[in-house]
Amino acid sequence: MTKPGVPGDTRTVDLSCGETVPVTEFDLGMREFECACGDAHAVVMDVHPPERFLPEFLVEVLQETVETTSEEMPEFDTPHLLGVVLEEFPGEVATADLSEEGDVGYALLWVTGFDARRLHEIIVELVIELMEHAVSHAENDATIQEFERQMLDFDVSAFVEQYRSERDLDADDVYA
């Protein structure tokens, strides 16, 4: 990303598809970017709540149980979710740190090679993996077996479809 040095905004983000886009193309309400490459890319900002992807009760559980190593962001939040995605798919997530820029309305930007729905599915899949790992450390075999049984019946795509349809969102909302 480059900083502006002359009139005309030159701050950009290099997307995984190879396109370079000015950061001013991304606004707070944007959830997906229709790119010149022909694909739609999911857009996430640090100001978007994690409830965009996960039910409130699950976010609360994650915030209570997940210990972060970040002094700047001690509570599990959207940047942590995108950090997990970035770790799993480093070539598919473009990032921009705009924390020094007061005019964009957000500090961190992620633009993925996936559309918004696929990113939502990926986040749910990765959270389930985190939960499976945590449950595997339980000392109660019945708890482990019950969790594994429930996960066999869990359909990520159906969950995402239902969650997205049940959210009561305005056009200006930042959840989708």
Side-chain angles (χ1 to χ4, degrees):
M1 185 178 75
T2 57
K3 300 268 185 187
V6 294
D9 201 342
T10 60
R11 297 168 298 170
T12 60
V13 61
D14 296 324
L15 305 183
S16 61
C17 66
E19 296 289 332
T20 299
V21 180
V23 297
T24 54
E25 291 290 315
F26 306 100
D27 63 62
L28 291 175
M30 184 176 283
R31 297 157 198 87
E32 202 163 62
F33 175 72
E34 295 296 328
C35 186
C37 77
D39 290 338
H41 303 293
V43 175
V44 183
M45 297 163 189
D46 60 319
V47 296
H48 293 172
E51 290 85 0
R52 170 179 170 181
F53 304 105
L54 303 168
E56 186 175 342
F57 80 89
L58 183 53
V59 170
E60 289 172 3
V61 168
L62 290 169
Q63 289 174 338
E64 290 173 12
T65 57
V66 175
E67 293 181 24
T68 71
T69 57
S70 172
E71 290 181 21
E72 295 85 27
M73 291 178 268
E75 186 174 82
F76 189 86
D77 208 348
T78 300
H80 299 98
L81 286 174
L82 270 293
V84 174
V85 174
L86 184 58
E87 189 174 301
E88 287 292 317
F89 301 96
E92 292 293 329
V93 183
T95 63
D97 181 347
L98 300 160
S99 56
E100 301 294 319
E101 309 298 325
D103 61 336
V104 292
Y106 52 89
L108 299 171
L109 168 71
W110 298 270
V111 183
T112 72
F114 316 108
D115 65 17
R117 180 182 172 91
R118 180 63 188 133
L119 175 62
H120 195 159
E121 291 175 349
I122 287 169
I123 287 174
V124 171
E125 290 166 357
L126 292 172
V127 167
I128 289 170
E129 284 182 26
L130 288 171
M131 293 166 59
E132 285 175 333
H133 178 74
V135 169
S136 73
H137 292 289
E139 294 180 15
N140 183 332
D141 287 339
T143 300
I144 295 169
Q145 290 171 354
E146 177 61 18
F147 182 83
E148 289 173 351
R149 186 194 64 72
Q150 288 183 14
M151 287 302 99
L152 289 174
D153 295 335
F154 186 75
D155 182 332
V156 170
S157 184
F159 168 82
V160 168
E161 182 68 30
Q162 181 178 352
Y163 187 70
R164 292 171 76 86
S165 69
E166 288 179 1
R167 294 178 303 182
D168 184 21
L169 304 178
D170 297 343
D172 295 330
D173 225 336
V174 292
Y175 284 97

